[in-house]
Amino acid sequence: MLVKNNMQQMIENNRLLLMEAAIVERLRRSSDIELHNELLNAPLIYEQNGKKALGKLYQEYVDIAFESSVPVLLFTPMWRANQSRVKNANIPNQLENAGSNTWKLSLIRESNDFPMLGK
C-alpha cells in the first residue's frame, strides 16, 4: 500500500528513499516519443502514446520502491510548463493553467492513465 505523506516527514522518517531520475532523458532516447522544444515532456500527458510512456516509467519507480520497502518521490512531468513557457510555446490552450502546480497534479491524478498516483 502506498502511504501519502508530506515530503518533510518522508525525509525525516526514512533513512533511504527512492527518487525518480531524468524521466525526460529516458523519454528523449525513445523512438516512439517526440519531446516539445520548449516544454519537453509536459504535453505528453495529453497524448495517448505519451501517457503510456510516462505511466510505464513512473510505474517502474513505484514497483522498485514497493519491492524495496522504501518511499518514492516522483515529480510531475509538467515541471517546465510555467505560464511564460506555455505562452511562448504557442500550443493549444490545454496548458493555459500551467502556472498552478496544484492544477497540474490534480489533472494527472484525475487521469486513469497513472493508477500508481491514486485519486
Side-chain angles (χ1 to χ4, degrees):
M1 176 176 100
L2 295 177
V3 176
K4 295 180 183 179
N5 217 342
N6 76 42
M7 191 182 311
Q8 182 177 352
Q9 287 174 331
M10 182 171 53
I11 292 169
E12 290 173 354
N13 296 333
N14 294 281
R15 193 173 67 84
L16 297 173
L17 63 101
L18 179 65
M19 202 169 131
E20 57 107 322
I23 293 283
V24 70
E25 292 305 321
R26 294 181 68 190
L27 291 166
R28 188 184 314 275
R29 288 162 179 74
S30 171
S31 61
D32 299 332
I33 298 295
E34 185 175 335
L35 298 176
H36 189 276
N37 288 339
E38 182 78 20
L39 302 173
L40 298 177
N41 57 334
L44 293 178
I45 67 167
Y46 297 107
E47 303 168 11
Q48 195 55 41
N49 195 35
K51 288 189 281 189
K52 183 178 178 180
L54 286 166
K56 181 177 184 266
L57 291 175
Y58 285 121
Q59 190 64 54
E60 288 177 7
Y61 286 99
V62 170
D63 291 345
I64 291 168
F66 182 77
E67 291 168 11
S68 304
S69 298
V70 297
V72 62
L73 183 59
L74 302 173
F75 294 98
T76 171
M78 305 288 287
W79 63 274
R80 286 188 63 94
N82 62 37
Q83 289 177 337
S84 174
R85 285 187 173 135
V86 170
K87 184 178 179 183
N88 292 336
N90 195 27
I91 61 172
N93 290 335
Q94 293 171 314
L95 296 174
E96 65 187 9
N97 294 318
S100 166
N101 288 326
T102 303
W103 170 82
K104 295 171 197 175
L105 186 56
S106 67
L107 176 69
I108 293 166
R109 278 189 173 149
E110 289 170 10
S111 167
N112 290 326
D113 298 297
F114 303 98
M116 75 290 296
L117 298 179
K119 288 197 178 192

